Structure formats: structure tokens, C-alpha cells
Amino acid sequence: MDAVEKKIIDLIDQNKEEILEFARDIYSHAELGYKEFRTSQKFVEFMKKKNLPVTEGLAVTGAKAYLNEEKKENASLALIGELDALRIPNHKYANPDTQAAHCCGHHAQLTGLIGAAIALTDPEVASALDGQIIFFAVPAEEYGEVEFKNQLKEEGKIRYGGGKCELIRIGAFDDADLCVAHHSRGGNAISFNQGSNNGFVSKVIRYHGKAAHAAGSPEKGVNALNAASLGLTALAYHRETFRDQDHVRIHPIMTKGGDLVNVVPEEVVIETLVRASNGPAICDASAKTDRAFFAGGAALGATVEIETMPGYLPTIPQAPNPAVVEAARIAAEGTDYPVVIEDDFTRVNGGSTDVGDVQHLKPVYTFHTGGVEGNFHSAEFTVTDENLAYLETAKIFALSAYRLLRNGAAEAKKAVREYQPKYTKDEYIAYMESQIRKEIRQ
């Protein structure tokens, strides 16, 4: 640990209460994707108090703060924190106004950026950075409320449902050469996962039937709920056709099942994500999903409308960046937190993240911190160790930035030079556009 690294750690420790206060506030005021106005504003206000230039309103609620803009041509590093939460109204810290709760740890990411900014904006530390830092608060990582996002698309406010996907499209990632990201994890370790996650497409399925008196003249109606039920059953029969190695996950919810109990349901709406670990498997599962839901409509005489939108690309298996690993080890000095590097490149997490989309264009290095317990995406999720969940996250963000950008930004330049992108930005947008379609069958 050199003098700058010691100062980074000391600054974060000295400002512990301010950092924890920010974390607790965000934790109890959770907001949903593309609606994170309060959360984004709190981030912006903090960065402005640090006298950093800020760009707001990126993909509705996203924001960027810049440090060392005069060094951006040498290297530019984005530190990423996600703004959104999940609709889990029975969580003990659920926001009563939004029904949202931070049950995936995004508030810890954002807190990490705040703590890192406290350290990195110190004049001595900032002068040791031979590159630009972008503190990047990004919206809508959780792909929920598909109908709402499709409505934003119709209004011209977004094109894609995922926050990072939309930020790529509008060019908000163009000025970043590489990125460091974070995610919470159960346990008491700081860890690095070398495996991958699923990608997916999203669907909104609308069944249109015909209303009639449910008891007096049901024969005059077309029951959209029955048609949807057949579609869901047909989808279930596909499950044995999915290969285990493709990690297919299809998990629909019904957001509308009718209007009144004594009226034959005229409209039923289903949302689903269709996930898999590779492109061909996503396409196969998507086609089978469409066939199943169209079959339900054909059997009952209902009209079926399926709108498919691009979701996220699978994350790319990769070894962790040595500079970020060393930052984690320095942050863990003097603590009981082990640093664990998982060596299974074949492991696939069934979940998804739009970090994978950014990975297809430029290096993104993700680290994990524990300090939480309970099932993610559930009311059981709870923060058990604020030091690990928040302060260690801040230290690793800040120390990673220093290690990547010191000495002429040698480590950052090496990472960019050796990285092999899967897509150019134009190729990525072309792929995303190819996934957008709407089909109606009567």
C-alpha cells in the first residue's frame, strides 16, 4: 500500500458517517427503473457539492459526474452505480410511495460511488490519476414493468428497456474506455466471478376476446383468460425441450386477467422474459414461447398480439482485472473479509444484467462484496454488515481507479489494448433493432 492508497482508505474511513447516511437514505427511498428521479437527484447534488461537472437526464434519469476532464484523452474510466430497485412492497424498507425496495443491492453500488468520490476528489489523490473518472449513475437495470417501458418507447423517451442498453444507444458510454462495476453478494467475502449470466428478450402478450355476461350469456363471449391459460399451459409443455446447458428460463406474470368477475374477460395481458445463456437458445425459446401463446388464442378464437423487445446480452466469461483484484486485497487489509476468486469459467448464473451489453463493446470489470443476507429479489434481503456492503465497496471503487490510472494509466491502457470487443456500437444497435417486432394473429 502506497501513500495515496493509504490516503484513499483514510478519507473513506474519516467520512464513514456521511457515506452510511447516504446509503440508509437510498435504501429506504427505493425507486423503480426510469422513475429514479429522487435517487438520481441525490447523486447529482452530492457530485455538484464536490464541484464536479454533471450531465443529467441521460436515458430519463441517468447522470454522469466528471473528474479530471483535462486528462480524458489519456484514459477514461467509468465507475458504474445502478439507480433502480424492485417492486417488493412487503420488504421492511420498502418505499410506501413507490412500492419499491432495494433487494438486489443497487443502493450499495451508488453508495460506493459516493464514497469513492470523497476520496478521489481529494487534490492529492486526483493529481495522481493520469486519466478521467466518470462517476456514472445508470437507470433501469432491473427489467420489470415491461408495459411501462414499452409506453416510454412509444412516447419517444427511450428505445430499449435496459438502462445501459439505452445509454449505449444515445452515446453516453462513448467517452468511457473501460468500466468498473459492482454487485452485492451473500456472505462475508469480497469476490470475483469468472463465469457468465443469461441474456434475454422481453415480451408483452395481449389476448383480445369478446365481453359478455359471464353467467347469463357466456356463449356470446370469447374468454381471453381461458385462451391465456391455454397459452401458459402450452408453454409449460415446451420445458422438456430446452437443453440443460442453455440455462433457459421463462417466467411469465399476468398483469391483467379481466375487469369484473361477472364479465367474460375481454383482455388479458402477460409479461415474460425469455432467458438463455446464448443467442441461438434465446431465439429458439422465443419462437417456442410465441407458438405456445398463439396456440392458446387459436384454440379459443381470441386475437393474440405479441410484442417482443430486446433485453440483455449474456455476460462474457472473463478473468478479473489484476488491478481491481489488488485493490480489493488492499481494501481488505486489517479486516476479516477474504478475497475470493472463483475459477469456474463455465458457471452460468440464470439471472441477467445489462452489464453484459457494455461488455460486448468495452472492458467491464465487476467485483462483489458481501454484507447482505437472504434471497435476492425477495423481502428476505437484508443488509447485515454496513462496513462490507458500503465502505469496502467505496474503497475498492476508489483504489481500482487509482491502480488503473496511476503511472500514466498504464493498467487501463493495457486492459483496453488487450480487450477484444464483440461488437462495434453500430453493430450492437443493429442487433438490438433486429430483435424488435410485433405480431398479431386472429
Side-chain angles (χ1 to χ4, degrees):
M1 183 189 306
D2 67 20
V4 173
E5 288 165 334
K6 185 178 187 305
K7 186 164 192 178
I8 286 172
I9 290 174
D10 288 345
L11 284 165
I12 291 171
D13 286 338
Q14 290 163 11
N15 290 276
K16 173 181 178 178
E17 291 308 316
E18 181 180 6
I19 296 168
L20 294 182
E21 181 182 351
F22 181 94
R24 294 163 185 162
D25 181 81
I26 297 298
Y27 194 29
S28 59
H29 291 88
E31 297 175 299
L32 299 172
Y34 292 128
K35 301 176 182 177
E36 317 98 323
F37 296 102
R38 181 188 185 277
T39 308
S40 180
Q41 190 57 38
K42 191 171 181 68
F43 169 86
V44 167
E45 289 173 356
F46 180 89
M47 293 300 173
K48 286 183 176 179
K49 287 180 181 177
K50 291 295 176 183
N51 297 314
L52 298 181
V54 177
T55 302
E56 303 177 59
L58 299 168
V60 185
T61 51
K64 301 164 74 174
Y66 295 91
L67 173 66
N68 286 355
E69 282 188 286
E70 71 280 3
K71 300 178 182 179
K72 64 184 177 182
E73 298 304 322
N74 193 42
S76 181
L77 168 66
L79 307 180
I80 297 175
E82 294 160 351
L83 292 162
D84 63 330
L86 297 141
R87 186 183 296 280
I88 302 181
N90 59 332
H91 189 269
K92 62 182 177 181
Y93 288 109
N95 183 341
D97 296 327
T98 65
Q99 304 297 297
H102 277 292
C103 299
C104 202
H106 294 185
H107 67 298
Q109 300 175 19
L110 211 60
T111 301
L113 293 196
I114 295 303
I118 288 172
L120 295 175
T121 54
D122 175 83
E124 180 185 355
V125 176
S127 66
L129 304 173
D130 295 322
Q132 173 179 256
I133 299 286
I134 303 170
F135 301 97
F136 205 164
V138 301
E141 190 273 342
E142 302 290 356
Y143 207 106
E145 297 192 300
V146 180
E147 286 186 271
F148 166 71
K149 291 179 177 178
N150 285 353
Q151 181 60 40
L152 290 183
K153 174 177 171 287
E154 294 299 318
E155 295 170 0
K157 295 178 180 178
I158 61 171
R159 181 69 178 166
Y160 307 140
K164 297 182 195 66
C165 310
E166 181 66 11
L167 290 165
I168 291 171
R169 184 188 73 84
I170 66 174
F173 272 101
D174 288 357
D175 58 357
D177 299 317
L178 71 168
C179 310
V180 174
H182 163 264
H183 206 283
S184 296
R185 206 170 199 184
N188 72 331
I190 299 166
S191 60
F192 296 85
N193 170 27
Q194 303 189 75
S196 62
N197 289 60
N198 275 346
F200 70 89
V201 295
S202 73
K203 295 180 183 289
V204 175
I205 302 98
R206 289 183 172 83
Y207 284 89
H208 300 285
K210 184 178 180 181
H213 195 298
S217 54
E219 74 280 1
K220 296 180 181 179
V222 175
N223 194 312
L225 181 59
N226 288 348
S229 298
L230 279 176
L232 289 166
T233 300
L235 177 62
Y237 282 122
H238 275 301
R239 295 187 188 279
E240 67 182 25
T241 72
F242 300 134
R243 303 190 310 168
D244 292 344
Q245 61 264 40
D246 290 330
H247 303 275
V248 175
R249 304 282 192 276
I250 307 172
H251 41 92
I253 63 168
M254 188 176 293
T255 61
K256 182 179 181 181
D259 295 308
L260 291 171
V261 70
N262 61 350
V263 177
V264 171
E266 185 172 31
E267 182 183 48
V268 168
V269 181
I270 292 171
E271 293 182 5
T272 193
L273 303 185
V274 179
R275 308 185 197 239
S277 60
N278 59 81
I282 294 172
C283 291
D284 174 70
S286 176
K288 290 174 179 176
T289 300
D290 289 352
R291 290 207 308 269
F293 285 124
F294 282 133
L300 271 296
T303 297
V304 184
E305 173 187 320
I306 300 180
E307 183 173 6
T308 302
M309 289 290 292
Y312 303 158
L313 291 168
T315 51
I316 300 171
Q318 65 177 11
N321 182 278
V324 181
V325 172
E326 188 58 27
R329 288 181 173 144
I330 293 170
E333 286 183 13
T335 73
D336 294 326
Y337 307 131
V339 177
V340 178
I341 301 176
E342 298 175 5
D343 58 4
D344 185 1
F345 280 87
T346 66
R347 180 179 180 273
V348 178
N349 184 308
S352 307
T353 173
D354 52 6
V355 168
D357 293 68
V358 184
Q359 268 189 311
H360 277 68
L361 278 73
K362 58 192 64 189
V364 184
Y365 301 107
T366 301
F367 66 94
H368 305 263
T369 57
V372 301
E373 291 181 359
N375 289 333
F376 281 62
H377 290 212
S378 82
E380 299 172 3
F381 180 93
T382 186
V383 176
T384 56
D385 184 341
E386 291 185 322
N387 185 71
L388 178 54
Y390 306 138
L391 300 181
E392 291 295 297
T393 299
K395 291 174 184 178
I396 297 170
F397 265 132
L399 291 166
S400 296
Y402 171 64
R403 287 205 151 243
L404 286 164
L405 295 181
R406 68 179 182 175
N407 299 330
E411 289 297 325
K413 290 178 179 178
K414 179 183 178 183
V416 173
R417 184 172 61 248
E418 295 179 353
Y419 196 75
Q420 297 181 345
K422 304 295 183 183
Y423 289 138
T424 65
K425 178 183 169 184
D426 288 343
E427 289 169 343
Y428 170 78
I429 292 174
Y431 165 80
M432 295 292 278
E433 292 297 311
S434 73
Q435 301 298 307
I436 299 174
R437 63 184 182 277
K438 181 185 288 187
E439 187 175 357
I440 301 173
R441 294 187 187 178
Q442 297 180 332

